[in-house]
Amino acid sequence: MLARVALPVALVGLLAACKPAAQPQPAEATPTPAATPTASPIPVVFEKGWPEFWRDPANAIDVLNRTGARIGDYRARPGGRVAESMPTALDLKPTDHPNAVTIIVRGDKDRLDTLDYRLDLRQPDQGEAAAKALGEMIVNAFRVLGLPGARDVAEALVAGKDLTKTVDGAAIRLRRTPAPDLGAGLNRITVTFSRTGASAPANS
């Protein structure tokens, strides 16, 4: 089953859970001149960024799911543990074979090594819009998670470019590759965030 992307709505509950409670106003307050409103910073989940994200697989998956990822069980596989989300369609119009993103995490029982966003481009005519939507999905999620690198990924996706970049605690790699498993002439975009110093996930 495919899900339609609705990330801004999914983030509302997570943001609400992070907001501090409103302070009561004094019973008799004297009028004061209107002040220019200042933007309140959005509370983030992982205040220490990627190092905090990697070190607790269960918590990382739970938080990703609270942003709408819908990742399944973190199961032992050959070479480590893997969990995948249900595919989410990113097309503007319905189709039987949509451009869809799957979120995948890999690691061992104690920590994660990689976070992948895999976009299968089955509808090339909507590929640019799907790539832009993927960038917006990552930016919106990472704004709440407190993880750096999303803006660079979104810009590269819109520009149609590959990307290799390092941020504090993670290496970022964005690649467009042929995907013959999807069909002749079709492509796939993969955005991988890797834990600094991680190799192939160890057996758990």
Side-chain angles (χ1 to χ4, degrees):
M1 180 181 294
L2 290 170
R4 295 286 167 184
V5 63
L7 187 56
V9 174
L11 291 176
V12 170
L14 185 56
L15 282 171
C18 296
K19 285 184 179 178
Q23 298 300 315
Q25 296 298 317
E28 295 182 1
T30 56
T32 56
T36 303
T38 58
S40 299
I42 295 176
V44 300
V45 178
F46 299 107
E47 295 183 353
K48 297 181 180 179
W50 284 108
E52 186 178 2
F53 175 86
W54 300 125
R55 72 187 183 196
D56 188 343
N59 183 54
I61 292 169
D62 177 65
V63 173
L64 284 168
N65 283 339
R66 288 162 61 193
T67 68
R70 302 199 304 166
I71 298 172
D73 293 339
Y74 188 51
R75 296 180 177 179
R77 305 268 182 95
R81 292 194 176 198
V82 180
E84 295 188 10
S85 74
M86 296 181 63
T88 298
L90 299 182
D91 294 327
L92 299 177
K93 57 184 180 182
T95 174
D96 291 337
H97 302 286
N99 296 316
V101 60
T102 302
I103 302 172
I104 307 165
V105 294
R106 295 181 176 87
D108 59 27
K109 63 180 180 180
D110 297 319
R111 60 185 178 181
L112 293 178
D113 286 331
T114 60
L115 166 63
D116 287 345
Y117 289 80
R118 187 188 70 204
L119 175 57
D120 293 338
L121 296 172
R122 292 184 170 88
Q123 300 293 329
D125 62 318
Q126 298 185 62
E128 290 185 7
K132 181 180 179 181
L134 174 58
E136 292 171 350
M137 171 188 287
I138 295 173
V139 167
N140 287 334
F142 282 25
R143 182 182 295 121
V144 176
L145 299 177
L147 303 177
R151 293 286 180 187
D152 298 294
V153 168
E155 290 172 3
L157 286 167
V158 170
K161 296 180 179 179
D162 289 350
L163 174 69
T164 300
K165 183 180 178 65
T166 300
V167 295
D168 186 20
I172 304 170
R173 182 180 174 92
L174 186 163
R175 291 291 182 270
R176 290 165 172 78
T177 57
D181 55 306
L182 300 179
L186 298 182
N187 296 315
R188 172 179 290 124
I189 297 174
T190 305
V191 182
T192 300
F193 301 89
S194 302
R195 178 174 58 80
T196 300
S199 57
N203 291 324
S204 58

